[in-house]
Amino acid sequence: MSSIADNVGTVTRRIQKATRNAGREPGSVNLLAVSKTRPASDLRAAHSAGQHAFGENYLQEALEKIDALSDLRDLEWHFIGPIQSNKTRQIAQAFDWVHSVDRLKIARRLSEQRGESAPPLNICLQVNVNEETSKAGCLLADLPALARDIMDLPNIHLRGLMAIPDPDQPDTELRASFQALADALEQLRRDNPGDSRLDTLSMGMSGDLDLAIEEGATWVRIGTAIFGARDGQ
Ligand SMILES: *Cc1c(COP(=O)(O)O)cnc(C)c1O
């Protein structure tokens, strides 16, 4: 069994290779280590191999780890799970990024509750690119208006878009989903030429990170390939 530290190295090299093969700038793709269900000691092992950014899906579990690892000063915390509106205050205060914002009400609360004393919270809008009824995320058609409203909020920065297309679809369809998200970001950038912060595409997981990088991912969210299979999978 390979260790978490070794896996961070392997995934990092895989990202570098995919970035090079896609003809993209070295360093333009960031690794988010998705640590849901993992104990704090696993995150510590990844950190010892140079990993700083961690993604969490469940608030209570995340807050416990943020507390347990508060001696590590250089960690960056990303919330990537579904957001209930009664949980926004803790999310706004404990995290650096939120990838899973999909409605204005949540964005408004995050902005209000972030407050002015902290640096603005980085957020991505989650898009339901394949319009799956069971999935979270806004529809592509609603994106332009929603993005405009969110850009007016003072204490959050809209950085880009996030999607979780079904990783079990055939590669051609998966690629089309990543392309749809990349096209939507391009359109947002054209509609808002003054906003240079729109630079983020959060897409690609353990099974499809190469494809996502070919299509322009700037954050890949990797759990299994770093920490191993989660219980129940
Ligand atoms: C769990 C999760 C991941 C990581 O998936 P792996 O297949 O384990 O790499 C990425 N993104 C989100 C939103 C997740 O919930």
Side-chain angles (χ1 to χ4, degrees):
M1 215 183 88
S2 54
S3 77
I4 290 169
D6 291 343
N7 293 344
V8 169
T10 304
V11 171
T12 301
R13 284 188 295 279
R14 202 172 139 199
I15 291 171
Q16 286 165 348
K17 184 163 172 232
T19 306
R20 211 165 39 239
N21 288 346
R24 296 182 51 197
E25 184 95 1
S28 58
V29 183
N30 299 293
L31 171 57
L32 183 64
V34 176
S35 42
K36 61 179 172 222
T37 78
R38 305 297 171 174
S41 55
D42 282 9
L43 284 74
R44 218 174 261 286
H47 178 263
S48 73
Q51 182 61 31
H52 301 288
F54 292 93
E56 290 282 342
N57 297 57
Y58 311 109
L59 181 61
Q60 205 47 49
E61 183 197 322
L63 292 175
E64 284 165 24
K65 283 181 250 185
I66 291 172
D67 187 47
L69 297 170
S70 59
D71 59 307
L72 305 176
R73 307 307 302 184
D74 56 356
L75 298 187
E76 189 176 274
W77 293 100
H78 295 235
F79 193 80
I80 62 172
I83 305 174
Q84 293 164 272
S85 58
N86 63 347
K87 301 285 172 61
T88 50
R89 181 174 300 281
Q90 285 166 300
I91 293 173
Q93 292 175 355
F95 286 82
D96 304 292
W97 282 75
V98 180
H99 293 227
S100 44
V101 175
D102 65 356
R103 54 198 193 277
L104 186 57
K105 178 184 177 191
I106 296 292
R108 282 208 180 108
R109 291 176 66 96
L110 289 172
S111 180
E112 267 166 39
Q113 294 164 344
R114 178 69 165 185
E116 270 144 38
S117 48
L121 184 64
N122 294 299
I123 70 154
C124 294
L125 268 172
Q126 182 173 349
V127 182
N128 184 354
V129 273
N130 299 129
E131 308 202 352
E132 294 165 272
T133 46
S134 59
K135 284 255 177 91
C138 70
L139 299 178
L140 282 167
D142 299 333
L143 191 56
L146 183 56
R148 249 191 320 276
D149 287 341
I150 287 179
M151 283 179 198
D152 287 339
L153 298 170
N155 305 321
I156 60 180
H157 280 169
L158 180 61
R159 295 295 301 272
L161 304 177
M162 178 271 225
I164 319 174
D166 176 4
D168 297 327
Q169 5 175 27
D171 272 8
T172 48
E173 284 164 39
L174 201 47
R175 185 187 293 282
S177 304
F178 291 142
Q179 267 169 359
L181 197 71
D183 289 348
L185 181 67
E186 233 359 88
Q187 186 62 49
L188 273 188
R189 289 159 63 99
R190 276 198 298 274
D191 293 347
N192 301 277
D195 197 328
S196 57
R197 294 177 303 228
L198 283 171
D199 59 2
T200 300
L201 278 177
S202 168
M203 59 187 196
M205 308 196 290
S206 295
D208 54 26
L209 76 92
D210 302 271
L211 207 53
I213 289 172
E214 279 180 45
E215 298 305 330
T218 65
W219 281 101
V220 288
R221 307 180 309 265
I222 308 298
T224 312
I226 293 176
F227 299 108
R230 288 177 291 275
D231 285 349
Q233 289 194 331

